[in-house]
Amino acid sequence: MENAPTQDAARALLAFWRAAGVDMDDAEAIFSAKAAPAPRAAAQNAPAREPFQIQPPAPRPKPKAKLQPADDAVNTAKALAAGATTIAALRAAVDNFNGCALKATARNTVFSDGVDGAPVLILGEAPGKDEDERGKPFVGRSGQMLDKMLAAIGLDRQSSVLISNTIYWRPPGNRDPTDGETLSCLPFVERLIELSQPKLLILTGKAAAQTVLKREDGVMRLRGRKLQYTREGITAPVNAMVMLHPAYLLRQPQQKRLAWADLLLAEAWLEELGVARKAHP
Ligand code: URA
């Protein structure tokens, strides 16, 4: 009982650092782990001490190269992206790019999963913990949800879909990426769309929709519509649609009704475009 104020203070401190964008996963795991009971004899003589200690998170790998200032970074990204003539070359360019500050705290670069040049290109926001660990987009809980959604309309990562994000490194503590971080990745995102030439571009969630379409409307206004992605210099506009993010559906399962409507729209559009899909229930 007498430790309760100390625990409350520690909890408040963890919440404060998480809100400030610091990755607190390791510290929270230690905090919530059950403290092993101290041996009785030792406990009698030992001076009173705190029942738990918050350890600093395990050190992250050091960035391999010095990070660049923001303005240079966007120009470097543009030059690297323009120089890549295949998706494989673009993947290598992103891997070698040191202009996004998030690279310093991430374990892995998360570029894509699925089939290069697939007829459907899906873009999400940013890698989370699981993606950072495995170096692939959408492999955690929201990835499992995404796979189920795709399977419902005969799509999958093995044959018909390429999945990527608008940010290639995990923001610490899953905070929102800054404008600078987003802008430094954008040239690669735009080049991926150009090189993929998908029959249909699917943007999941607000961040991907607003970043790629350069619009400020919320997802609820953009979803459920046949849109066109275009920008200066692009050979031809790309069919595009916005869907609710799978992570949002996990938090708000009552919205699955809208997601289902979006999937039906995607299915009908793919049918119209003659995109081959697997048989599905
Ligand atoms: N959410 C995203 O937007 N992208 C991922 O890769 C994982 C979760």
Side-chain angles (χ1 to χ4, degrees):
M1 285 295 269
E2 47 185 44
N3 289 321
T6 319
Q7 295 207 11
D8 287 349
R11 246 184 224 110
L13 188 62
L14 287 173
F16 168 81
W17 284 116
R18 183 176 278 289
V22 178
D23 188 342
M24 299 308 293
D25 291 348
D26 295 342
E28 275 167 7
I30 290 162
F31 179 72
S32 42
K34 225 176 168 182
R40 270 182 183 279
Q44 274 162 6
N45 302 327
R49 66 181 179 88
E50 297 298 329
F52 60 84
Q53 287 179 334
I54 298 173
Q55 307 281 345
R60 302 268 174 195
K62 291 248 166 1
K64 290 180 194 74
K66 212 163 166 275
L67 293 167
Q68 291 174 308
D71 290 349
D72 282 10
V74 176
N75 289 331
T76 306
K78 283 184 181 164
L80 286 172
T85 54
T86 62
I87 296 174
L90 188 65
R91 182 178 293 114
V94 170
D95 221 7
N96 290 326
F97 177 61
N98 294 307
C100 177
L102 294 172
K103 192 175 187 181
T105 48
R107 287 191 168 88
N108 280 302
T109 298
V110 177
F111 182 70
S112 72
D113 193 25
V115 184
D116 288 359
V120 180
L121 173 62
I122 300 182
L123 297 179
E125 183 184 10
K129 190 169 189 286
D130 297 311
E131 290 76 18
D132 182 41
E133 272 162 17
R134 292 179 49 192
K136 281 187 181 182
F138 282 101
V139 291
R141 277 187 74 219
S142 54
Q144 287 157 19
M145 168 71 99
L146 179 62
D147 286 342
K148 281 189 198 148
M149 291 163 72
L150 295 176
I153 55 169
L155 298 174
D156 62 35
R157 304 180 193 224
Q158 288 71 43
S159 59
S160 47
V161 168
L162 182 67
I163 302 178
S164 187
N165 279 313
T166 47
I167 296 281
Y168 303 112
W169 296 275
R170 181 194 182 196
N174 297 342
R175 66 159 169 74
D176 288 341
T178 64
D179 288 350
E181 289 156 0
T182 303
L183 288 174
S184 68
C185 294
L186 188 57
F188 299 110
V189 176
E190 293 181 337
R191 188 71 177 138
L192 179 62
I193 299 172
E194 231 162 27
L195 291 171
S196 299
Q197 297 200 329
K199 294 265 202 259
L200 180 60
L201 169 65
I202 299 181
L203 304 162
T204 60
K206 176 173 146 196
Q210 293 186 341
T211 303
V212 172
L213 299 174
K214 299 193 167 72
R215 292 175 69 151
E216 293 192 350
D217 312 76
V219 176
M220 290 301 178
R221 277 185 69 85
L222 294 170
R223 61 153 289 279
R225 294 159 57 180
K226 285 181 164 181
L227 304 170
Q228 295 286 301
Y229 164 83
T230 189
R231 68 181 186 93
E232 221 182 292
I234 201 167
T235 19
V238 175
N239 299 318
M241 56 178 285
V242 172
M243 290 194 358
L244 298 175
H245 195 287
Y248 172 75
L249 295 173
L250 288 169
R251 291 193 305 272
Q252 307 276 338
Q254 73 279 13
Q255 301 287 33
K256 284 186 185 162
R257 186 179 55 85
L258 297 180
W260 182 239
D262 292 343
L263 286 170
L264 291 180
L265 174 65
E267 183 177 41
W269 206 355
L270 290 169
E271 188 71 33
E272 210 178 287
L273 295 165
V275 173
R277 287 167 297 115
K278 286 202 165 143
H280 58 91

